Amino acid sequence: MKSTVLFLLAALFTLVIAQDAKTKRLEGIAKSNNGLIKLNSNTYSQYTEGKRNYGIVVLLTAMDDYFKCIPCREFDPEYKLVASSYQKTKDPSRVFFGHLDFKDGQAIYQKLGLQTAPNVLYFPPTKQGNNKVQPVKYDLSKNGFIAEKFAEFLSQETGAPVPVKRPFDYFSLGIKIFGVVGVAAILKLLYPYVGTILFHRNTWAALSIITILTMTSGHMWNQIRKPPYVMPGPGGKMNFVAGGFQQQLGLESRVVGATYGLLAMATICLIVFVPKMKQKTNQRISAYIWVLCILIVFSALMNLFRIKNGAYPFHIFF
């Protein structure tokens, strides 16, 4: 009995030592390669199977020119950016970042049944009494190739923040400064010609009307809530109006903005241009036309309100 207990304790001690040695080995590789660990078929199995007290992310790619994997080349620098950023945190041993290319891991591709690349798998730490924890796949087709989205996914899976620290882009800053200086120089040269237009009251009146129409049509709500542009309806039709006054769609706000614009244009014509007509007959006909235009467009706007809420009681023509 005593010998059995000693054997179990020795086996447990050996297992703990082996886990620590594996973790130390991964820490050394990650530290020497800016957070990235190059894998092959053997090391992939070694670091992702069995007991482990760490999480590991593996990017499976096909970078060889023969495959012409453009998504692999697009996501590779973003993946390396997340790996290098995480390597600079206080405890980079919680999650390691592996990279397995097809030429180094054909056996793994066959084992996993993969026929496309890239693929990203996250292997969380194993739990007590459970050595077979299924990996979590990162959906690249849904989330895209941006490092920030990938870091957000890892933060949710690991329960700890995964930062993204992009290097400062001096070239982009230089381009922006050059562009601002260029625009300023052009404006200075054109000022004698555009100054009159820029400071004319009609220019600011038009800008004010456009701003008002944009805001009252729900543009800011769209920017904050990010609603879909349209929604599928019954019979395969597309709905551009969301039911209820608490929701709206992207196309719906554009239709409302265009309607408000027509009403504003008709009102301005009726107030500003019609009184300036010298012939009384033309003035009267124009007044009738613009009033009728206001009534028709406003009827359409009220009908739109009724589509959003069937209990809306008001209407003019339809």
Side-chain angles (χ1 to χ4, degrees):
M1 181 66 179
K2 185 182 293 186
S3 61
T4 303
V5 173
L6 291 175
F7 175 77
L8 292 176
L9 289 175
L12 180 62
F13 179 75
T14 303
L15 181 61
V16 171
I17 293 297
Q19 288 184 12
D20 290 341
K22 186 163 60 173
T23 304
K24 291 294 183 183
R25 193 180 311 119
L26 287 171
E27 288 180 5
I29 299 173
K31 187 175 181 180
S32 63
N33 198 27
N34 206 19
L36 194 65
I37 300 170
K38 293 289 185 180
L39 302 174
N40 54 39
S41 296
N42 294 329
T43 54
Y44 174 91
S45 301
Q46 179 183 355
Y47 294 137
T48 60
E49 296 177 358
K51 290 186 177 181
R52 57 184 178 276
N53 56 359
Y54 57 85
I56 182 169
V57 193
V58 180
L59 170 63
L60 299 103
T61 60
M63 301 292 287
D64 194 280
D65 293 337
Y66 173 79
F67 299 105
K68 298 179 180 179
C69 182
I70 296 177
C72 297
R73 300 184 184 278
E74 288 184 4
F75 185 63
D76 184 64
E78 296 292 295
Y79 183 80
K80 290 179 179 178
L81 175 62
V82 177
S84 61
S85 299
Y86 192 79
Q87 182 62 29
K88 299 173 184 176
T89 60
K90 293 182 179 180
D91 187 15
S93 62
R94 292 187 59 179
V95 180
F96 295 103
F97 292 80
H99 180 208
L100 177 66
D101 195 67
F102 180 78
K103 66 178 181 180
D104 301 319
Q106 296 186 32
I108 299 300
Y109 268 79
Q110 294 176 0
K111 179 181 178 180
L112 299 177
L114 298 177
Q115 297 182 351
T116 59
N119 295 279
V120 181
L121 302 176
Y122 169 65
F123 296 84
T126 54
K127 299 179 181 179
Q128 186 70 25
N130 183 13
N131 297 342
K132 294 183 178 180
V133 179
Q134 294 297 322
V136 181
K137 186 174 182 179
Y138 178 65
D139 192 346
L140 286 166
S141 61
K142 177 182 178 181
N143 299 307
F145 301 147
I146 303 300
E148 285 76 10
K149 280 284 188 180
F150 178 50
E152 181 181 343
F153 161 78
L154 290 179
S155 299
Q156 294 175 353
E157 293 296 329
T158 61
V162 177
V164 176
K165 298 179 180 179
R166 293 186 180 275
F168 190 79
D169 192 351
Y170 290 99
F171 180 77
S172 178
L173 177 63
I175 292 295
K176 290 178 182 178
I177 294 175
F178 180 79
V180 170
V181 173
V183 170
I186 293 174
L187 290 177
K188 184 178 177 65
L189 292 173
L190 296 179
Y191 181 77
Y193 307 99
V194 300
T196 304
I197 299 175
L198 184 62
F199 292 104
H200 198 280
R201 65 177 185 177
N202 289 345
T203 302
W204 289 99
L207 291 175
S208 299
I209 292 173
I210 292 173
T211 303
I212 292 171
L213 292 176
T214 301
M215 297 306 171
T216 56
S217 65
H219 175 75
M220 289 307 299
W221 194 94
N222 290 346
Q223 295 300 310
I224 296 171
R225 298 293 184 88
K226 305 295 183 184
Y229 194 70
V230 293
M231 289 184 65
K237 297 181 179 179
M238 286 296 175
N239 288 339
F240 69 93
V241 179
F245 292 120
Q246 301 298 320
Q247 300 291 332
Q248 71 178 26
L249 300 175
L251 181 58
E252 177 184 341
S253 64
R254 285 160 175 76
V255 172
V256 172
T259 305
Y260 287 162
L262 288 174
L263 288 172
M265 182 187 70
T267 303
I268 292 172
C269 290
L270 188 63
I271 295 173
V272 176
F273 299 112
V274 172
K276 294 180 179 180
M277 292 182 176
K278 295 181 179 180
Q279 295 184 4
K280 297 298 182 180
T281 304
N282 293 341
Q283 189 181 65
R284 187 178 298 108
I285 294 174
S286 298
Y288 292 155
I289 290 174
W290 288 118
V291 169
L292 183 62
C293 178
I294 291 174
L295 292 174
I296 292 174
V297 175
F298 204 82
S299 297
L301 182 64
M302 297 177 75
N303 186 55
L304 180 62
F305 291 160
R306 196 159 54 252
I307 293 175
K308 286 190 69 66
N309 189 341
Y312 189 78
F314 305 108
H315 68 91
I316 300 178
F317 291 147
F318 45 83

